[in-house]
């Protein structure tokens, strides 16, 4: 399946480059959906398998996510305070 991912990434990069060249970036989402059909035609499975519950996380995941979220909120707060003056 790795070859399908490589081809899809290459096609999406070329698609965005062409759309930017023609200044039609708004077509990126619909045409990317068409590329999904190309991946399906190449044999990519169309199945989603999930299991119940939370994924296994190390003991550092929750503190790191909390730190990233809080520092991002503080950075946004500083931006908006600067805009009010």
């Amino acid at each position: 399946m790795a070859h399908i991912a490589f081809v899809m990434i290459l096609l999406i990069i070329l698609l965005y480059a062409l759309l930017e060249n023609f200044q039609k970036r708004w077509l990126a989402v619909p045409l990317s959906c068409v590329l999904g059909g190309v991946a399906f035609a190449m044999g990519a499975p169309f199945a989603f398998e999930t299991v119940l519950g939370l994924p296994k996380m190390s003991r550092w995941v929750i503190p790191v996510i909390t730190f990233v979220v809080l520092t991002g909120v503080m950075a946004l707060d500083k931006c908006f305070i600067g805009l009010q003056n």
Side-chain angles (χ1 to χ4, degrees), residues 2-85:
H3 66 284
I4 296 175
F6 179 74
V7 170
M8 294 308 298
I9 290 171
L10 184 65
L11 286 175
I12 289 172
I13 291 171
L14 291 174
L15 174 72
Y16 283 136
L18 286 172
L19 291 174
E20 177 62 31
N21 189 31
F22 296 125
Q23 297 182 356
K24 301 283 185 187
R25 288 184 305 187
W26 58 272
L27 282 171
V29 172
L31 292 179
S32 294
C33 292
V34 171
L35 287 180
V38 172
F40 187 66
M42 291 178 67
F46 191 70
F48 300 99
E49 296 178 14
T50 60
V51 294
L52 293 176
L54 292 172
K56 296 192 184 323
M57 295 181 274
S58 71
R59 62 184 184 148
W60 297 104
V61 171
I62 301 298
V64 168
I65 291 174
T66 305
F67 174 76
V68 169
V69 168
L70 290 178
T71 55
V73 169
M74 286 186 273
L76 286 175
D77 190 33
K78 289 179 183 178
C79 292
F80 288 124
I81 289 173
L83 291 175
Q84 291 175 354
N85 295 330

